[in-house]
Amino acid sequence: MAKHFSYVILGGGVAAGYAAREFANQGIKPGDLAIISKESVAPYERPALSKGYLFPQNAARLPGFHTCVGSGGERLSPEWYSDKGIELILSTEIVKADLASKTLTSSAGATFTYETLLIATGSSVIKLTDFGVQGAEANNILYLRDIDDADKLVAAMQAKKDGKAVVVGGGYIGLELSAALKINNFDVTMVYPEPWCMPRLFTAGLAAFYEGYYANKGINIVKGTVAVGFDADANGDVTAVKLKNGNVLEADIVIVGVGGRPLTGLFKGQVEEEKGGIKTDAFFATSVPGVYAIGDVAAFPLKLYNEMRRVEHVDHARKSAEQAVKAIKAKESGESVSEYDYLPYFYSRSFDISWQFYGDNVGENVLFGDNDPTAATPKFGTYWVKDGKVVGVFLEGGSAEENQAIAKVARAQPPVADVEALKKEGLDFAAKI
Ligand code: FDA
Ligand code: NAD
């Protein structure tokens, strides 16, 4: 017989944890809410996996980073869920979702029914085997999405101590994992096809700092080419990465970070999609009544820019979850909540450096400050100016106050008459807004 809940959150990641907390804040009865997750642990702050989890000393481990500690809130331990009467249905992969009959079916054949569904399935990694790259199934070619992947990586780092690592991809995973492998004493080479790292966000000027900083840490960077094949030894362990430019890199471990894909497959043909995700309104309601989508999978109206967006970052996962639950509960009592009015916020940390970005990286970019990679305490950034207004700001090495100031600028979109003057003024411009 199917197990029935008023509310089911499908997925047990960041959005799920923050949604559960909001349900508890709003008031639910024991037995009303379930989280169904294929992971074996309660929701946690995923960003820790590419950072503290990989530290050579005092590494972060659960229960230390269950949601909602990442934003300074209470840590929702498994006991918290049981105290609140929220059922955590773990190690349970849903393989079929029938939105018409409001029924979910697990790989073990269990069925669950609901009145309201929150889709929070997040993203999966794109694998090199997806493109049929030769030899890509060798041992120690690793990806990082969940805690099982992180444990495999930790085990591989122990087995191949002080070895050679090749990191394929120059995005978030590429940059954060290269640093993690370096601090674990690996000889690290990064390989990516673009002319500079993190081209989704970084300008050439920003990337020049990070590439220089990484090079000074002893990381080799190979740009403008891709991995086209791998060699393995008799045990099936990877030994080398063959590049399209003809070079071959020795490798004991390969980390691949070539992007993610929102996990929407279960709902294909049942719900409207957009931008590769599930289309929602400003309350994260989908085209199917009673079904909401939050976090990485949601394509939602970004009010500030008047367009539909999907955002694959933790701040939005948290805030979209809270917005959806508030909207669900308000609707039940005949009330309403304001539309989601999100200011995009991304960040990253590696070694001793960290940056924050707010807003939109479109238009002309204006580099300010000193982006010398050898600076003792680097502080520099970039404004993006579109139609005479600042629409996005990036800052490396900002204090809490300075980061608040750049967030304010990205929200306020102040006019800029003279781009040269803005460059000279640098961070002082933000401090005045
Ligand atoms: P999330 O991926 O967190 O959760 C999805 C959940 O659904 C998982 O538990 C999954 O197992 C489950 N699931 C999927 N399909 C299922 C099914 N069929 N049945 C059952 N369960 C299913 N962002 C940022 O802003 N700053 C940062 O520093 C980082 N760092 C970072 C590091 C690493 C290693 C990763 C992988 C990602 C980041 N991110 C990040 C991105 C951020 O973590 C991401 O945007 C959020 O986790 C998205 O939250 P969701 O809840 O949408 O998905
Ligand atoms: P990404 O999109 O940031 O980077 C993908 C990179 O892959 C590209 O920049 C490119 O350099 C590279 N690439 C593409 N095809 C390639 C190929 N064939 N060979 C070599 N390189 C290739 O994706 P990611 O770094 O894999 O991150 C996955 C997900 O995790 C994303 O959703 C990301 O937002 C999230 N994440 C976020 C953070 C953060 O916000 N700090 C940290 C880690 C992960």
Side-chain angles (χ1 to χ4, degrees):
M1 234 211 22
K3 223 169 163 183
H4 183 78
F5 299 93
S6 302
Y7 314 100
V8 167
I9 302 170
L10 173 52
V14 174
Y18 282 77
R21 182 177 68 174
E22 192 59 40
F23 269 118
N25 288 345
Q26 299 277 333
I28 44 162
K29 294 195 299 297
D32 269 357
L33 171 64
I35 290 178
I36 306 178
S37 175
K38 67 180 176 207
E39 293 193 74
S40 59
V41 293
Y44 56 86
E45 302 284 0
R46 198 163 304 282
L49 296 183
S50 54
K51 305 175 188 69
Y53 205 82
L54 305 177
F55 285 171
Q57 264 111 38
N58 302 321
R61 286 293 177 269
L62 290 176
F65 59 98
H66 280 300
T67 57
C68 300
V69 288
S71 54
E74 183 194 356
R75 189 175 67 200
L76 310 187
S77 61
E79 296 71 44
W80 181 89
Y81 292 91
S82 49
D83 286 353
K84 300 282 176 201
I86 298 171
E87 209 163 318
L88 275 181
I89 303 171
L90 301 176
S91 306
T92 301
E93 183 176 9
I94 295 300
V95 293
K96 188 168 175 247
D98 182 3
L99 299 183
S101 66
K102 302 190 168 205
T103 307
L104 306 174
T105 309
S106 78
S107 56
T111 51
F112 307 93
T113 54
Y114 57 82
E115 281 141 54
T116 301
L117 175 67
L118 288 93
I119 302 170
T121 40
S123 302
S124 63
V125 295
I126 297 175
K127 296 202 163 173
L128 294 179
T129 45
D130 298 347
F131 325 117
V133 175
Q134 174 264 322
E137 58 297 321
N139 301 331
N140 300 324
I141 299 181
L142 302 168
Y143 299 82
L144 182 59
R145 184 73 212 176
D146 61 22
I147 210 153
D148 288 349
D149 298 332
D151 286 336
K152 280 186 202 140
L153 174 54
V154 169
M157 287 198 299
Q158 260 146 25
K160 303 287 179 180
K161 226 172 178 351
D162 305 333
K164 288 186 162 48
V166 173
V167 175
V168 177
Y172 286 96
I173 291 285
L175 284 165
E176 293 182 8
L177 269 289
S178 295
L181 286 155
K182 191 72 212 174
I183 59 177
N184 279 282
N185 210 31
F186 276 77
D187 177 354
V188 182
T189 301
M190 289 180 79
V191 181
Y192 44 88
E194 295 94 349
W196 64 77
C197 63
M198 192 85 91
R200 269 208 295 172
L201 177 64
F202 289 180
T203 62
L206 292 176
F209 168 84
Y210 294 99
E211 290 177 354
Y213 187 94
Y214 273 47
N216 292 340
K217 291 280 183 192
I219 293 174
N220 312 307
I221 299 181
V222 180
K223 300 194 258 187
T225 191
V226 292
V228 290
F230 298 91
D231 289 335
D233 64 14
N235 297 324
D237 290 1
V238 71
T239 55
V241 184
K242 294 182 264 186
L243 303 182
K244 196 172 182 181
N245 68 11
N247 290 346
V248 177
L249 303 168
E250 284 177 48
D252 301 303
I253 293 183
V254 175
I255 298 282
V256 183
V258 296
R261 240 188 232 120
L263 279 169
T264 59
L266 285 173
F267 312 98
K268 277 265 168 301
Q270 302 186 67
V271 64
E272 273 181 45
E273 293 189 51
E274 195 163 332
K275 307 244 164 186
I278 297 174
K279 186 179 174 188
T280 76
D281 64 11
F283 309 98
F284 296 98
T286 71
S287 58
V288 177
V291 179
Y292 292 73
I294 54 179
D296 280 11
V297 292
F300 63 96
L302 206 131
K303 199 172 171 184
L304 196 55
Y305 309 129
N306 194 25
E307 67 177 57
M308 298 294 285
R309 289 274 177 99
R310 224 168 42 71
V311 174
E312 293 179 358
H313 292 276
V314 73
D315 180 61
H316 161 72
R318 295 168 179 157
K319 289 179 175 153
S320 59
E322 289 167 358
Q323 168 76 354
V325 175
K326 284 188 179 124
I328 290 165
K329 296 302 281 181
K331 199 171 171 192
E332 285 172 5
S333 50
E335 289 160 22
S336 63
V337 294
S338 310
E339 288 179 335
Y340 193 57
D341 186 7
Y342 186 60
L343 174 69
Y345 162 49
F346 318 146
Y347 70 89
S348 184
R349 283 196 299 273
S350 60
F351 297 114
D352 291 331
I353 52 176
S354 71
W355 57 258
Q356 300 202 356
F357 167 79
Y358 293 87
D360 215 8
N361 57 322
V362 293
E364 186 182 351
N365 64 75
V366 181
L367 183 69
F368 62 84
D370 181 7
N371 67 336
D372 175 358
T374 59
T377 48
K379 189 173 292 188
F380 62 92
T382 288
Y383 292 108
W384 278 264
V385 180
K386 192 182 163 217
D387 301 332
K389 292 188 294 190
V390 178
V391 293
V393 197
F394 177 103
L395 181 61
E396 167 60 48
S399 64
E401 221 172 41
E402 289 163 341
N403 287 326
Q404 261 175 27
I406 64 162
K408 214 168 148 197
V409 168
R411 169 65 77 180
Q413 303 189 342
V416 174
D418 180 350
V419 166
E420 271 314 304
L422 176 66
K423 186 175 175 63
K424 279 206 200 90
E425 233 184 319
L427 201 48
D428 290 343
F429 174 86
K432 287 189 319 211
I433 301 300

